[in-house]
Amino acid sequence: QVEAVRITWNGKPAIQGFFSDITERRQAEHKLRLSQFTIDHAVDAIYLIDPQATIVDVNEAASEMLGYSKDELCAMTVHDLNPDFQADMWPAFWAETKQRGTATVETRHRAKDGRIVPVEVHVSHLSYGENEYHCAFVRNITERKRTEAALRASEERFRTVVESSANGLVMVDGEGRIVLLNRQIERLFGYRREELIGRPIEALIPPRFRMHHPSLRAAYQKTPETMMPIRGRDLYGMRQDGGEFPVEIGLSQIETDDGPMTLASVVDLTERKRAEDKQKQLLAELAESQKHFE
């Protein structure tokens, strides 16, 4: 609102002026300063980029991430920062982002000291008046990449151990479905790996024994914390052709990104059982022979 004010002195106009209510303007200025403060102190680097791929503005995090000053960054293009992004790629990227409104990519930026920094970039296409921009939020994902690499290395070591084990090893989830097995399981049971993945562990137990051995199901449902052997004269595995063989099973809990799993170690007791039967036979023959000398 604007109000005209006139002050007279001895019947003559002395002061004439205009007063404005600037509350809304001050509020708008405060919001603008707050927005700029928020951008400048954001954790992620923020870039404002024009249609020619020139960097128009950046926040403090962008300078801290790559070691360039704000003025240096604002004299650069996207191609100067990204060794994987050639100049001739920009028009298509701009057009696609404009059409979709947003885009997310994993790429790399080159720091001032030559370091290559892995980054995740979230881009929004903005229109402001007659101008268009890309607003890019850039996050340093170095630690994430290190964690992913360490996880892949750990998984590879685990798979190496599993495959090189002399025992059959099979991993099941909380529902008892097979999610991993080694070559020894294939050899013992006569299945190909792809034939067992996703099937219930009971597929490897003779039907007539499944109800008599609820301990196996209880074990993987309770996700045991320590190795728990399950052995018995009537505990058998069942091959693909229906043949049965005596086994000893050990269970242990494995924590994975998909939740707790149970790793079952399967030992074929066929040879041991034959040796035990042979020993019993020899002892029986020895006892029978002794009777003839009494």
Side-chain angles (χ1 to χ4, degrees), residues 273-290:
K273 192 172 185 302
R274 285 175 182 170
E276 291 174 351
D277 291 343
K278 183 65 174 178
Q279 185 180 35
K280 290 178 182 179
Q281 181 182 352
L282 291 174
L283 289 175
E285 291 175 355
L286 179 60
E288 186 66 25
S289 298
Q290 288 177 343

Side-chain angles (χ1 to χ4, degrees), residues 13-294:
I15 301 175
Q16 183 171 323
F18 295 89
F19 295 88
S20 300
D21 184 352
I22 60 173
T23 302
E24 292 185 2
R25 189 176 70 188
R26 289 188 180 276
Q27 289 176 343
E29 291 174 349
H30 173 72
K31 290 181 179 179
L32 183 61
R33 287 194 297 271
L34 180 60
S35 297
Q36 188 63 48
F37 178 85
T38 302
I39 291 173
D40 287 339
H41 293 83
V43 175
D44 293 339
I46 301 176
Y47 294 79
L48 193 64
I49 304 164
D50 71 10
Q52 287 71 48
T54 302
I55 298 170
V56 177
D57 197 8
V58 299
N59 66 348
E60 294 177 7
S63 295
E64 293 174 0
M65 182 185 298
L66 300 180
Y68 293 100
S69 69
K70 181 174 181 176
D71 290 339
E72 287 174 324
L73 286 171
C74 290
M76 301 171 72
T77 66
V78 172
H79 331 307
D80 297 324
L81 292 184
N82 192 332
D84 302 323
F85 200 95
Q86 303 303 316
D88 58 0
M89 300 168 62
W90 175 255
F93 181 75
W94 176 273
E96 182 180 356
T97 306
K98 180 177 180 179
Q99 180 181 7
R100 297 175 56 185
T102 62
T104 300
V105 295
E106 278 193 17
T107 186
R108 305 182 302 161
H109 282 176
R110 181 183 287 110
K112 187 174 182 178
D113 60 8
R115 289 178 299 111
I116 297 298
V117 181
V119 294
E120 182 178 72
V121 184
H122 298 275
V123 182
S124 295
H125 185 86
L126 305 178
S127 295
Y128 184 75
E130 297 180 355
N131 300 314
E132 294 180 295
Y133 302 96
H134 275 181
C135 184
F137 294 81
V138 181
R139 176 165 297 181
N140 186 338
I141 57 173
T142 300
E143 290 304 318
R144 184 203 300 178
K145 289 297 184 182
R146 287 174 180 167
T147 300
E148 290 174 352
L151 180 60
R152 286 194 299 270
S154 177
E155 290 176 346
E156 185 60 31
R157 287 194 297 270
F158 175 75
R159 290 182 180 275
T160 299
V161 170
V162 168
E163 288 296 343
S164 61
S165 175
N167 296 342
L169 295 176
V170 56
M171 184 181 290
V172 298
D173 62 17
E175 299 299 323
R177 294 185 298 267
I178 298 171
V179 297
L180 177 70
L181 58 116
N182 66 355
R183 287 190 293 268
Q184 188 70 348
I185 289 291
E186 293 180 285
R187 189 189 69 80
L188 287 176
F189 291 90
Y191 288 95
R192 295 193 307 275
R193 189 170 311 226
E194 57 270 20
E195 293 175 319
L196 286 177
I197 296 296
R199 296 186 64 181
I201 188 65
E202 284 85 356
L204 302 181
I205 301 174
R208 62 194 179 94
F209 291 125
R210 291 172 191 171
M211 297 302 297
H212 298 291
H213 287 285
S215 54
L216 180 60
R217 176 175 287 274
Y220 64 66
Q221 288 180 339
K222 292 179 181 178
T223 58
E225 296 182 357
T226 57
M227 184 68 79
M228 181 175 61
I230 302 176
R231 184 183 179 188
R233 288 178 299 175
D234 59 348
L235 182 57
Y236 284 78
M238 183 178 69
R239 299 186 180 90
Q240 186 181 36
D241 61 9
E244 300 176 6
F245 61 103
V247 296
E248 179 179 284
I249 298 176
L251 301 174
S252 60
Q253 178 181 326
I254 302 293
E255 291 295 333
T256 73
D257 290 341
D258 297 321
M261 302 281 181
T262 299
L263 185 66
S265 173
V266 182
V267 179
D268 185 353
L269 298 182
T270 301
E271 293 303 322
R272 186 187 305 179
K273 192 172 185 302
R274 285 175 182 170
E276 291 174 351
D277 291 343
K278 183 65 174 178
Q279 185 180 35
K280 290 178 182 179
Q281 181 182 352
L282 291 174
L283 289 175
E285 291 175 355
L286 179 60
E288 186 66 25
S289 298
Q290 288 177 343
K291 290 180 181 180
H292 294 293
F293 290 101
E294 292 179 354

